[in-house]
Structure formats: C-alpha cells, structure tokens
Amino acid sequence: MRHDHQAESAPTNKADSSRATHELIALIGAGPSGLAGARNLQKLGIAFQGFEAFRDVGGLWNIENPRSTVYESAHLISSKRTTEFAEFPMADEVADYPSHRELKKYFSDFADHFDLRRHFRFGVRVLRVEPVDPADAGTCWRITLQRDDGGQETAEYKGVVIANGTLAEANMPRFEGRFAGQLLHTSDYKSAEQFKDRRVLIVGAGNSGCDIAVDAVHSARSVDISVRRGYYFVPKYVFGKPADTLGGKRPLPPWLKQKVDAIVLKWFTGDPTRFGFPKPEYKMYESHPIVNSLILHHLGHGDIHVKADIARFDGHTVHFKDGSQQDYDMVLAATGYTLHYPFIDREHLNWQGMAPRLYMNIFAPRFRRLAVLGMIEASGIGWQGRCEQAELVARYFKGLDDDRPAAHALERAIAGPAPDLRGGYNYLQLERMAYYVHKDSYRAAVRKAAQQLL
Ligand SMILES: Cc1cc2nc3c(=O)[nH]c(=O)nc-3n(C[C@H](O)[C@H](O)[C@H](O)COP(=O)(O)OP(=O)(O)OC[C@H]3O[C@@H](n4cnc5c(N)ncnc54)[C@H](O)[C@@H]3O)c2cc1C
C-alpha cells in the first residue's frame, strides 16, 4: 500500500521494488550499521528497502553528510583490525588508525563490493514510524518518508530496522550566565581554522574533546580544557602495537584487567594528575577510556592547560568552580551526544531514563519486527560488533518468517528481562554509559543468540 501526497517522481533503484511494501523490512540509514543490516538481510534473502537521508553511504564517516559529526582531523580511535567488518578487511596499506577520508572510501567500497546501493533509496528521510496496530506484536509499520524534492510518501512495511546513528544529536549543557564570545558544540566543529588566534576553552576531555584540543594547539592563541572528573588516557600505541590489539584472546576478569591495564598505563602515560587532571574516582573501564597519544604530550609542553568545572559565564569571563576565572573568545562544549529517534514514539522503543531499554540493545520488547542497530557503546566494539547485531536480527526475522521454534524462543526472551551485558563492570551513570556494554560479554551473547537460530 502506498499513498503519494505529491506527484510520483521517486528514484527507482529498488532491489525489491517488484514486491508490495508490506512484504519488505524498512531499514533506516546507510552508515556502518545500516550497511551491516543491508548485508545481513541480503545474505539471508530477506526482502527489504533501505532509506538514507543523505545522497550516499558511509554515515558520519562521510564528512559531506550534514549529519556527520567528524571533523577534518578525525581518525579512527580504535585500530583498523579491531574495527573493520570481518568479511571485508581493510587493505594492508591502510594506516592502523585511518582518517575519515579513508573510511568514507571503505564504506563506499563495501557497498559496491556487496552490491548494496541498489537496496537503498538515497535522499529519502524517514519522518514517521508507527505501528499499524499498536496492540499487535506482529503489526505492520506505517512509514512516512520525505524525499529531497519535498514530496512525502506513506506506506506500510512488514518490519523496521533502525540504524540512524547515535552520535548526531548534540548534548548541549545549560550553563549559568551568558557567554559573550562564541559558544559551540563539537558537532559544529570541522576544522582548526575556526580557532585561529582565539582564546579557546574546550569543555570535557572525552575522545572528541581531546582530539579537538590537540587540533586547537596549532592555531588558537591559547587552549584550556575544563573537566569535571578524572580520565584514563590510553596511548594509541603500546609496545609498538595499536593498544587495542594487545591482550590475550580470552578476556581477563574485570578486577584483574583493571589492575593489569592500570599498571601498563602508568608505565606509558604516567600520572595525569601531574598535569592538573583530577584523580578518577572510578576504576578503569567504568567509563569510556580516552585513546589519545597527544593530549598529555601537549599538556606536558604547556600548550594546553586543565581547568576545573565551569561555575558560570559572565561576558567573556568564565568562572570555574575552584574559584579561578579566565577570559575566552570561544567555548566549545565537547559534551557528547544524546540518543535521538525522533520518528518513533518513545514508548515503542521502551525508553527508560536516558536510553531505550532494548533486549541486547537491539530488540524492542513489545514488537516482533522492530530492531535497532548501532545503539551500543563499548570500548573497541567496532563495526564487526554492529555487524553481529545485524546478523542476529536477520536470522531472527528469517526464523519468524519460517516459523522456526528457535525464533519463537528468542521472541519470548525478548519480551522478558534483558540480560546483563556489563561483563561485571560498574559503569558510571552518564548519558553515554546508559547503553554501554562490555565488548566481549556483549559480542559473545549476540553470537550465541545468532548461533541458536541456525
Ligand atoms: C570523531 C569520531 C570518532 C569515532 N571513532 C570510532 C572508532 O574509532 N571506532 C568505532 O567503532 N566507532 C567510532 N565512532 C563511532 C561511530 O558512530 C561509528 O563508527 C559508526 O559511524 C556508527 O554507525 P551508524 O551507522 O550506527 O551511525 P552513523 O554513522 O551516524 O550513520 C547513520 C546514518 O543514518 C542516516 N539517517 C539518520 N536519520 C535518518 C532518517 N530519519 N532517515 C534516513 N536516514 C537517516 C544518516 O544520514 C547516516 O547516514 C566515532 C565517531 C566519531 C564522531
């Protein structure tokens, strides 16, 4: 069923275009997670239609995509071998930590290699996703789309896979007072030229905050970084190898890993409190570690200074909670992103507090064919971790189609309590940590569930 509100001029690169929409799964987004979804649905011969608001694949790794939050200097934080899709390894000549340009090409090559582009309609934004019958777990989904030419379409689909990304909607804190200079969020930052000759304060020392502070060193008049808490800084290389490629195949128990890695870090990065960072009031891995080899280097050279949490603004002056104050031309809030699924009612995704509560961070408990890909944060989960999510979704949908007992067993599990995938770690109560998982425990659980559907 399809209703066009405007004259039909939709693109026709639809792989399953001959089928009625209510036989198709709708897939939202052609970033790494959406591509993983497409690949796995394709592999099992599940009919689907992808929608991507931008004109091409790659998600936030395509800096031209208006929703992209990478900046000119952005590189992978996890190394390529930890991050890549297992069935599509990056070439040996690609750097250990490739730049966003290289990654844009990687996703473009991935889409071409597996012939995924024809499954997507590009320049088509999903505006609304609604269950046709909210009381029916097996409901079809009414989806409203907006094409780039402004035209809208509504049609009913068999199920929905949401892969619209987690790092696009700015989480902007509310500050006391008024700042007379320029107040930006990381999502507004593209290149170090924006800092030229300015006195810059970066707020937050997460991975983006540290990257951007390092960028600013080369063009700003001065660079300070304001922090509320201490951090663990992991260098990109340890013993000459990408840090995330070290460690045995079998994960250590949390208490031992926290101890061993904290000692290794002390050897390599020393004590960040020497540079003015507070001592972390939590153990390693209870928050996302900062992978950056340059931030401590620049602190050690006096190029960056650490400041306390912000108390208030007053004109160009920033007052800090330790009683100090300093004048700035620009404040850049590197305060992260907030989960954002604007096209679907929160109750359908079972939002609880800061994040949807989904079974294995994937499945909406009340519906049979409503899944989210990519709603995971974990150190080193990579695109393969997202691909394994997609594999599980595809096998589950296929099992439902084929009326297999294993799929119905998973369906019952999805409706029940979600498993604890924190791997014994006690994560900080931060917005980003609301959907944090322990990489090894999570991947093992997802793979096991997928195995049971074979
Ligand atoms: C600076 C930076 C460094 C990072 N480094 C790493 C790293 O080292 N390792 C790692 O694993 N991850 C890293 N990430 C995380 C990154 O989010 C993932 O690598 C990956 O991009 C997630 O893919 P995704 O497909 O879930 O989301 P995205 O890449 O955000 O893609 C979502 C896609 O959905 C589309 N879309 C959104 N809304 C709609 C809609 N309503 N209708 C249609 N289409 C829509 C968007 O246009 C976009 O193409 C980094 C992120 C940043 C910002």
Side-chain angles (χ1 to χ4, degrees):
M1 187 162 104
R2 177 162 155 166
H3 319 281
D4 262 20
H5 301 307
Q6 294 209 354
E8 175 64 65
S9 63
T12 52
N13 56 333
K14 292 175 257 177
D16 294 298
S17 56
S18 56
R19 305 180 76 136
T21 60
H22 66 258
E23 292 176 33
L24 304 176
I25 300 294
L27 170 64
I28 306 171
S33 303
L35 289 174
R39 171 69 184 134
N40 282 282
L41 292 169
Q42 174 204 52
K43 260 189 196 168
L44 294 193
I46 298 172
F48 71 99
Q49 176 62 63
F51 301 105
E52 166 54 55
F54 185 55
R55 63 171 182 268
D56 203 356
V57 300
L60 62 72
W61 294 106
N62 190 331
I63 199 168
E64 288 157 36
N65 183 339
R67 291 289 278 176
S68 170
T69 46
V70 296
Y71 26 87
E72 284 299 344
S73 66
H75 290 74
L76 268 190
I77 293 160
S78 49
S79 71
K80 69 171 180 182
R81 294 289 176 236
T82 306
T83 316
E84 65 197 5
F85 290 126
E87 66 171 346
F88 197 69
M90 292 190 206
D92 285 341
E93 53 274 21
V94 171
D96 292 335
Y97 295 99
S99 77
H100 64 88
R101 288 173 204 85
E102 193 96 53
L103 299 175
K104 175 183 162 187
K105 182 172 175 332
Y106 174 73
F107 291 114
S108 184
D109 291 348
F110 180 84
D112 288 340
H113 184 82
F114 294 112
D115 194 17
L116 299 178
R117 278 197 167 81
R118 69 194 177 90
H119 289 279
F120 282 91
R121 290 178 60 190
F122 293 97
V124 176
R125 174 176 302 281
V126 172
L127 292 184
R128 219 41 220 129
V129 172
E130 298 158 293
V132 172
D133 178 358
D136 175 10
T139 181
C140 278
W141 292 85
R142 188 176 303 114
I143 298 194
T144 304
L145 312 164
Q146 179 154 47
R147 302 189 303 262
D148 266 357
D149 66 8
Q152 290 194 4
E153 302 168 19
T154 300
E156 288 174 14
Y157 288 80
K158 183 175 178 178
V160 188
V161 177
I162 298 173
N164 65 326
T166 57
L167 302 181
E169 196 66 18
N171 176 30
M172 192 67 176
R174 232 174 302 176
F175 295 103
E176 287 285 312
R178 203 184 66 80
F179 182 58
Q182 197 178 6
L183 179 61
L184 299 176
H185 181 267
T186 322
S187 53
D188 306 312
Y189 172 71
K190 286 295 164 201
S191 114
E193 293 210 342
Q194 289 169 255
F195 297 129
K196 193 136 185 60
D197 298 327
R198 312 184 90 179
R199 296 164 298 177
V200 176
L201 177 67
I202 312 282
V203 184
N207 279 300
S208 292
C210 288
D211 267 1
I212 295 172
V214 168
D215 271 5
V217 161
H218 302 290
S219 57
R221 182 132 65 101
S222 66
V223 187
D224 291 348
I225 189 159
S226 157
V227 296
R228 269 197 296 205
R229 59 190 173 93
Y231 296 85
Y232 291 93
F233 294 93
V234 180
K236 282 200 153 168
Y237 288 91
V238 174
F239 302 118
K241 298 241 165 69
D244 60 6
T245 61
L246 298 178
K249 282 254 172 285
R250 260 213 272 141
L252 297 175
W255 66 269
L256 188 56
K257 182 154 177 65
Q258 285 169 322
K259 255 205 168 107
V260 171
D261 288 9
I263 291 171
V264 173
L265 267 204
K266 269 235 157 83
W267 288 341
F268 276 84
T269 55
D271 180 5
T273 62
R274 279 204 328 116
F275 302 118
F277 278 108
K279 192 173 159 44
E281 286 172 352
Y282 55 92
K283 292 194 204 128
M284 212 178 157
Y285 301 122
E286 288 178 353
S287 178
H288 204 57
I290 311 308
V291 184
N292 192 306
S293 299
L294 295 173
I295 185 84
L296 298 180
H297 168 93
H298 284 296
L299 283 156
H301 287 69
D303 299 333
I304 303 174
H305 295 97
V306 177
K307 295 285 183 187
D309 193 11
I310 293 177
R312 65 191 165 90
F313 295 145
D314 183 7
H316 279 273
T317 308
V318 177
H319 295 267
F320 297 98
K321 286 195 176 157
D322 63 358
S324 66
Q325 62 184 71
Q326 189 81 40
D327 288 354
Y328 297 98
D329 303 304
M330 182 189 273
V331 172
L332 187 144
T335 41
Y337 295 91
T338 188
L339 290 178
H340 194 56
Y341 302 103
F343 38 75
I344 183 165
D345 286 356
R346 290 166 79 91
E347 61 175 311
H348 301 325
L349 288 181
N350 193 31
W351 274 79
Q352 288 179 29
M354 293 184 283
R357 178 75 60 85
L358 304 175
Y359 186 84
M360 287 187 164
N361 289 32
I362 302 173
F363 298 106
R366 273 185 42 220
F367 299 103
R368 213 167 281 154
R369 288 186 185 84
L370 176 60
V372 178
L373 298 179
M375 198 200 79
I376 27 168
E377 277 293 345
S379 184
I381 193 101
W383 304 314
Q384 182 55 24
R386 292 159 172 110
C387 192
E388 287 161 7
Q389 291 188 310
E391 180 173 56
L392 174 59
V393 170
R395 285 190 190 171
Y396 176 52
F397 284 3
K398 180 86 172 103
L400 289 176
D401 289 348
D402 298 345
D403 204 17
R404 298 206 32 225
H408 294 300
L410 180 56
E411 184 183 356
R412 285 190 296 278
I414 289 170
D420 182 354
L421 298 166
R422 289 175 297 176
Y425 290 88
N426 225 347
Y427 297 124
L428 291 189
Q429 297 290 309
L430 300 171
E431 176 136 19
R432 186 177 196 187
M433 305 304 287
Y435 55 106
Y436 208 85
V437 294
H438 175 245
K439 176 188 73 169
D440 297 317
S441 314
Y442 183 78
R443 286 183 63 183
V446 169
R447 284 196 293 241
K448 186 171 166 209
Q451 186 70 24
Q452 285 165 346
L453 288 164
L454 272 180

